[in-house]
Amino acid sequence: MLLRDERDALCGIGRRLAETGLVTGASGNVSVRSGDLVAVTPGGMMLDRMEPADCPVVNLAGQWVDGDKAPSSETPMHLALYEATPAAAIVHTHSTYGAVVATTMSELPPIHYNTLLLGGVVKVAEYATYGTPELAENVRTAMAGGKRAALMANHGGVAIGRDLEEAYENARLLEWLCGVYVRAKSIGEPRVLTEEELAKVVERGLAPPDFPRV
């Protein structure tokens, strides 16, 4: 089986995403890149019920290479991000607070300095139908400039990483930041950190790790 270890890791991350509520049912998808190949979760399958053989493998052009099931409908978005960034793994969620912010905002304001770990202010990609080249391009635009995460209007969130573990943790951080913002809005107007305040945090060494080149 091609990319056996990578496909097994997808199943592990799928279970964790379901357990933590970052995805429900068959929503969301995950991929991991190894050289010119990408293992991705299958379309229409609950992520906590996958087996390694369920996860198809495609090349960077989106052509089927191995596996019996069809790849996720969001595979074009994953491939667009692999082309545009040095990421080695991508996690796309339909988390609650991420969806709330993505439905109401054009960006997630920097209300906590840990926003810097995602590359700065998190943008909300313009809405487009799921699985389309238009959505893939919108997300790619929202992730420009070294971003580690983005939200997708009226949809959910996406995070990238140097490996699956990092992409998963970035997705968890994105949901936490969205949750803090939504809860803060319920009791008042959240205070947003200024560029100067964020710059001082960077001076103290908080910044996203550099990606190795794929």
Side-chain angles (χ1 to χ4, degrees), residues 134-149:
E134 290 79 11
L135 179 60
E137 183 57 32
N138 291 350
V139 173
R140 179 172 173 161
T141 298
M143 295 281 283
K147 305 290 186 182
R148 266 57 176 180

Side-chain angles (χ1 to χ4, degrees), residues 7-25 27-30 41 45-50 55 91 164 168:
R7 291 156 99 168
D8 182 65
L10 286 180
C11 297
I13 292 295
R15 289 189 292 271
R16 292 165 68 184
L17 287 169
E19 289 166 0
T20 54
L22 292 176
V23 301
T24 56
S27 69
N29 33 79
V30 188
T41 52
M45 188 170 190
M46 294 187 178
L47 298 191
D48 58 346
R49 301 181 187 179
M50 299 183 303
C55 300
V91 171
L164 276 171
Y168 168 75

Side-chain angles (χ1 to χ4, degrees), residues 97 111 175-188 190:
Y97 288 114
I111 55 171
E175 176 67 357
W176 181 81
L177 290 168
C178 289
V180 169
Y181 182 79
V182 171
R183 290 182 174 97
K185 285 286 285 186
S186 72
I187 61 174

Side-chain angles (χ1 to χ4, degrees), residues 22-189:
L22 292 176
V23 301
T24 56
S27 69
N29 33 79
V30 188
S31 70
V32 58
R33 177 179 177 180
S34 178
D36 293 332
L37 298 177
V38 175
V40 63
T41 52
M45 188 170 190
M46 294 187 178
L47 298 191
D48 58 346
R49 301 181 187 179
M50 299 183 303
E51 297 295 334
D54 294 320
C55 300
V57 175
V58 300
N59 61 23
L60 295 176
Q63 298 167 322
W64 176 87
V65 175
D66 192 30
D68 296 327
K69 290 184 167 54
S72 166
S73 60
E74 295 292 10
T75 299
M77 178 188 69
H78 289 248
L79 297 178
L81 290 177
Y82 286 127
E83 180 181 17
T85 75
I90 298 169
V91 171
H92 164 44
T93 69
H94 287 186
S95 57
T96 300
Y97 288 114
V100 169
V101 174
T103 303
T104 57
M105 310 286 290
S106 61
E107 64 181 30
L108 175 64
I111 55 171
H112 192 283
Y113 57 80
N114 276 343
T115 299
L116 293 169
L117 294 174
L118 298 180
V121 174
V122 177
K123 303 294 185 180
V124 177
E126 292 185 11
Y127 180 80
T129 305
Y130 77 90
T132 60
E134 290 79 11
L135 179 60
E137 183 57 32
N138 291 350
V139 173
R140 179 172 173 161
T141 298
M143 295 281 283
K147 305 290 186 182
R148 266 57 176 180
L151 293 164
M152 304 151 71
N154 302 87
H155 191 157
V158 61
I160 64 176
R162 296 173 295 179
D163 51 35
L164 276 171
E165 184 68 25
E166 185 173 86
Y168 168 75
E169 290 300 334
N170 284 342
R172 285 215 308 159
L173 175 56
L174 176 61
E175 176 67 357
W176 181 81
L177 290 168
C178 289
V180 169
Y181 182 79
V182 171
R183 290 182 174 97
K185 285 286 285 186
S186 72
I187 61 174
E189 189 60 33

